[in-house]
Amino acid sequence: MTTFSLLGTGLLGAAIGHRLLERGFTLNVWNRNSRRCGSLVEAGAQQVKHPTESLDRASVVLTVLRDGPVTAEVVKSLGPLDGRTVVPMGTMGISESVALADQVQMQGGAYLEAPVLGSRPEALQGDLLVMAGGEQSVFDAQLSWLSTLASQPRLMGPVGTGAAAKLALNQLIASLTHGYSLALRLVEASGLEIERFMEVLRPSALYAPTVDKKLKRMLSHQYGDPNFSTSLLRKDLRLFLREAQLAGVNASALQGLATLLESAEGTDLDSGDYCALHELTAGR
């Protein structure tokens, strides 16, 4: 069985760790906030004080960290990788992932980006959507354990394509949530009952399940206990805008949404579920 160095044990990282432990894999775990390793240690993981200590007997370095710069910093701190494979599963920019792949190669390791769509519930159930980017041989070597996290892990193409798919999907999360929020606001203001509107929307080609998934939160204004926060959505939208600019894509229409999300910074909405952006579309 593969031994993992799991770096980053937040909501998603911890859930991935629990899934791997449940399936019999061995984990060495590290997090800057050591207390966030507690549940994994109780489940059988070995906690370490420094990332380099996590390399003991590990053949795969699995990172689930906040962003690209943090991931690059932590991976660099590992020193020589001696053939180990580094697999970042958090969201990062395309250019950041390509740069990290070069860094890993210089450190003597192999690289496979594997960002995911889904959060804690999907990770615990093995229902994540894994979008890998890298060489076919590296993907094939990691497929057995990736298949415990996702029913059908996909190799999108070379390094950068997995990151591109993830950013594109997270942009859709932001845009869809914003669009539905605006629709609900106007419907509500007109005096039309939301459920009457939903009866028309659900059978139409415009419907996406995410609206019903978030509708109760949006109408009750309850955004606690999030699996994906407003602050992370804003971060990822900023990343999308930066990568779009680098790719020559005109994404200027998204600037207004990015500005809207920035108004949540420093408020309670920032730590709430990302559909808290519904509060930002309320009339003043």
Side-chain angles (χ1 to χ4, degrees), residues 16-86:
I16 288 172
H18 278 290
R19 177 70 177 179
L20 292 172
L21 286 170
E22 180 187 284
R23 293 306 174 101
F25 293 98
T26 301
L27 263 63
N28 300 327
V29 298
W30 172 86
N31 196 77
R32 278 201 169 105
N33 182 346
S34 60
R35 288 175 294 182
R36 302 200 75 171
C37 296
S39 67
L40 288 169
V41 172
E42 290 175 6
Q46 178 67 44
Q47 184 175 357
V48 299
K49 294 181 178 179
H50 190 275
T52 53
E53 298 172 28
S54 70
L55 296 181
D56 183 35
R57 295 186 300 279
S59 59
V60 177
V61 179
L62 183 58
T63 70
V64 195
L65 298 162
R66 179 176 175 84
D67 56 28
V70 170
T71 304
E73 174 193 342
V74 171
V75 170
K76 185 176 182 180
S77 75
L78 297 174
L81 291 167
D82 299 324
R84 295 178 177 88
T85 302
V86 174

Side-chain angles (χ1 to χ4, degrees), residues 216-257:
K216 184 177 179 180
R217 279 186 179 271
M218 294 164 80
L219 296 182
S220 65
H221 311 285
Q222 300 297 317
Y223 307 109
D225 193 26
N227 290 314
F228 186 50
S229 68
T230 307
S231 65
L232 289 177
L233 184 67
R234 181 177 61 250
K235 170 188 73 71
D236 291 351
L237 187 60
R238 285 172 175 166
L239 262 182
F240 181 92
L241 286 166
R242 190 185 73 190
E243 293 296 336
Q245 184 178 25
L246 291 173
V249 175
N250 182 358
S252 57
L254 286 174
Q255 290 290 350
L257 178 53

Side-chain angles (χ1 to χ4, degrees), residues 119-148:
S119 191
R120 186 174 185 276
E122 291 80 13
L124 292 172
Q125 296 163 14
D127 289 334
L128 292 170
L129 294 175
V130 174
M131 300 155 279
E135 296 179 6
Q136 183 72 55
S137 59
V138 180
F139 175 75
D140 291 343
Q142 309 305 320
L143 185 57
S144 61
W145 68 264
L146 284 172
S147 296
T148 70

Side-chain angles (χ1 to χ4, degrees), residues 36-211:
R36 302 200 75 171
C37 296
S39 67
L40 288 169
V41 172
E42 290 175 6
Q46 178 67 44
Q47 184 175 357
V48 299
K49 294 181 178 179
H50 190 275
T52 53
E53 298 172 28
S54 70
L55 296 181
D56 183 35
R57 295 186 300 279
S59 59
V60 177
V61 179
L62 183 58
T63 70
V64 195
L65 298 162
R66 179 176 175 84
D67 56 28
V70 170
T71 304
E73 174 193 342
V74 171
V75 170
K76 185 176 182 180
S77 75
L78 297 174
L81 291 167
D82 299 324
R84 295 178 177 88
T85 302
V86 174
V87 184
M89 301 193 82
T91 304
M92 65 176 71
I94 302 165
S95 55
E96 291 173 339
S97 188
V98 170
L100 182 57
D102 291 340
Q103 176 184 318
V104 166
Q105 185 177 20
M106 291 181 65
Q107 290 178 240
Y111 185 82
L112 183 75
E113 63 184 12
V116 302
L117 188 67
S119 191
R120 186 174 185 276
E122 291 80 13
L124 292 172
Q125 296 163 14
D127 289 334
L128 292 170
L129 294 175
V130 174
M131 300 155 279
E135 296 179 6
Q136 183 72 55
S137 59
V138 180
F139 175 75
D140 291 343
Q142 309 305 320
L143 185 57
S144 61
W145 68 264
L146 284 172
S147 296
T148 70
L149 301 176
S151 60
Q152 191 178 353
R154 290 174 170 82
L155 179 63
M156 311 304 288
V159 172
T161 57
K166 172 61 172 171
L167 283 180
L169 289 168
N170 279 19
Q171 181 275 134
L172 284 174
I173 291 172
S175 294
L176 283 170
T177 306
H178 183 227
Y180 282 129
S181 174
L182 291 175
L184 294 174
R185 290 289 183 194
L186 186 64
V187 164
E188 208 166 27
S190 77
L192 175 62
E193 291 181 8
I194 295 295
E195 187 52 36
R196 296 284 286 175
F197 169 70
M198 293 302 298
E199 288 171 359
V200 176
L201 176 62
R202 288 188 185 105
S204 77
L206 300 173
Y207 177 72
T210 186
V211 67

